Amino acid sequence: MSFDLVVAGISIGIGLMNAGVVAGMYVHMVRSTRNIVCTVRAGENGEVRIDDPF
């Protein structure tokens, strides 16, 4: 293995780890923002219910 190949492998590994961390943070932010916005739900018989997390 040449030095360039080792450096390229390390670089690709670090890039994949960073992509995984960014995806994890994105999923975490999406899940936490779902609790901020209230949800309006309508039932089959016309009842309207507001799910407010606060």
Side-chain angles (χ1 to χ4, degrees), residues 1-4 7-9 12 14 17 19-20 22 24 26 31-32 35 39-40 42-45 48 50 54:
M1 284 184 136
S2 67
F3 179 73
D4 294 338
V7 172
I12 290 172
I14 290 173
M17 275 193 344
V22 168
Y26 177 76
R31 285 182 180 171
S32 65
N35 293 332
T39 306
V40 177
E44 292 179 2
N45 56 358
V48 176
I50 297 174
F54 296 111

Side-chain angles (χ1 to χ4, degrees), residues 1-53:
M1 284 184 136
S2 67
F3 179 73
D4 294 338
L5 188 59
V6 171
V7 172
I10 291 172
S11 176
I12 290 172
I14 290 173
L16 290 174
M17 275 193 344
N18 284 337
V21 169
V22 168
M25 288 300 295
Y26 177 76
V27 169
H28 174 72
M29 292 296 180
V30 167
R31 285 182 180 171
S32 65
T33 55
R34 283 186 181 173
N35 293 332
I36 294 174
V37 180
C38 67
T39 306
V40 177
R41 297 177 190 235
E44 292 179 2
N45 56 358
E47 289 182 0
V48 176
R49 190 175 88 199
I50 297 174
D51 294 334
D52 192 7

